[in-house]
Amino acid sequence: PIVRAQLTASSAAYPLVEQFYPYRYDFTSYHQGSWPRSLAFERRKQTSRLRHDLLLLNWEGAALWRFGIDDAEQSEPLSSQLPAAMFKTLLVAGLPDYGVQLKPRPEGQAPPPESTLDRLALLQQIRALPLLPDTSEDLTVTDGKEFIHYRVTVIKRELIQAAAGSRSAWKIRVEGFESDHGEERFRHRPVYIWISDDQRRLPLRFVIRHAVGTFTVEMQPGSAIQSVANAISVNEVKRH
């Protein structure tokens, strides 16, 4: 079965962020949770400009394609560029047939490693992990340009004060690596995710530290995940 996941984020509710870095994100992932691997990833991202593109992973032909959507130049309909079975599967799962709105991006032609995920499918895979201390899993993630090695580690269960109140949650560390002259090094500082300790396994909080401060995303009661500029202590996100 194909899992369709969607995430929308906006800075509209936060005047300070809106003043310096306004953004609107809309991500949709189509992936096979039992494999796990992605089939398609649609991204609509607007900051200083709008970027709308589609990533397709054809596992029959071991190919990865990237398309721009609504570009001035036009290409062939999506139905003529994909294997018939894959096209039908994605349409049934809810992917729009953008027809001649698609323009191939030449940089997205590398064959994907087995079980490659998009970024939103990575979050879904994290939610499916066995939630036990020291559980770790290595995953491959792509944005269509490159393949990134991620290591996901369950740290501990703890009580947190989230927007929805006091919640029991699992703290998870996500580390990204890149190759540097044959050796792996950290691609960015670790991202910490708190997943609710219940059957829904909701992502309650994301935290990443930058040179300018700490960026936090929390789930708000009765709404989608939204960004919040919460300051937290260094001890809360230190590496264990």
Side-chain angles (χ1 to χ4, degrees):
I2 304 300
V3 178
R4 180 178 182 267
Q6 188 169 13
L7 174 66
T8 301
S10 170
S11 61
Y14 305 97
L16 185 61
V17 180
E18 191 77 355
Q19 179 181 356
F20 293 101
Y21 188 75
Y23 63 83
R24 308 288 186 271
Y25 297 152
D26 192 354
F27 302 142
T28 306
S29 170
Y30 303 83
H31 59 277
Q32 295 173 298
S34 58
W35 189 265
R37 62 185 184 183
S38 291
L39 296 178
F41 180 64
E42 182 178 355
R43 179 184 67 171
R44 184 189 295 270
K45 178 180 179 181
Q46 184 166 4
T47 51
S48 58
R49 65 186 181 94
L50 174 65
R51 186 177 179 89
H52 188 190
D53 52 25
L54 178 66
L55 172 67
L56 295 172
L57 295 96
N58 175 16
W59 295 102
E60 292 182 17
L64 185 151
W65 301 316
R66 291 182 69 236
F67 299 91
I69 302 176
D70 295 327
D71 281 288
E73 298 182 29
Q74 295 185 343
S75 182
E76 297 179 3
L78 182 60
S79 56
S80 66
Q81 302 185 56
L82 298 180
M86 180 181 180
F87 178 68
K88 182 178 180 180
T89 297
L90 289 173
L91 285 186
V92 170
L95 178 69
D97 183 3
Y98 286 105
V100 295
Q101 294 175 288
L102 296 176
K103 176 186 176 183
R105 298 191 188 278
E107 69 270 24
Q109 302 297 322
E114 189 174 357
S115 299
T116 298
L117 298 167
D118 62 75
R119 291 173 177 175
L120 187 50
L122 170 64
L123 175 59
Q124 297 298 89
Q125 187 63 21
I126 290 173
R127 295 175 65 197
L129 280 176
L131 294 180
L132 297 170
D134 298 323
T135 297
S136 182
E137 185 169 350
D138 290 270
L139 300 164
T140 301
V141 177
T142 185
D143 59 359
K145 295 181 180 180
E146 56 185 333
F147 302 103
I148 306 165
H149 169 211
Y150 277 91
R151 178 167 296 129
V152 180
T153 305
V154 180
I155 304 298
K156 62 180 179 179
R157 181 169 53 189
E158 61 185 10
L159 196 65
I160 66 170
Q161 292 298 323
S166 180
R167 300 287 297 271
S168 177
W170 286 93
K171 182 179 180 180
I172 296 171
R173 183 176 65 239
V174 182
E175 298 166 301
F177 301 89
E178 61 186 4
S179 179
D180 181 21
H181 301 290
E183 295 185 1
E184 279 198 331
R185 66 177 184 181
F186 287 110
R187 181 181 177 87
H188 52 70
R189 296 184 181 185
V191 178
Y192 290 86
I193 305 174
W194 282 261
I195 301 291
S196 65
D197 183 25
D198 56 26
Q199 290 184 344
R200 294 185 297 171
R201 295 192 173 193
L202 296 174
L204 300 176
R205 177 184 294 166
F206 300 78
V207 171
I208 184 169
R209 294 173 58 200
H210 292 280
V212 296
T214 299
F215 185 74
T216 302
V217 176
E218 286 191 349
M219 176 173 284
Q220 303 298 306
S223 67
I225 297 174
Q226 299 178 12
S227 299
V228 289
N230 285 349
I232 64 174
S233 67
V234 173
N235 289 334
E236 188 173 359
V237 295
K238 69 181 180 180
R239 183 170 178 174
H240 291 261

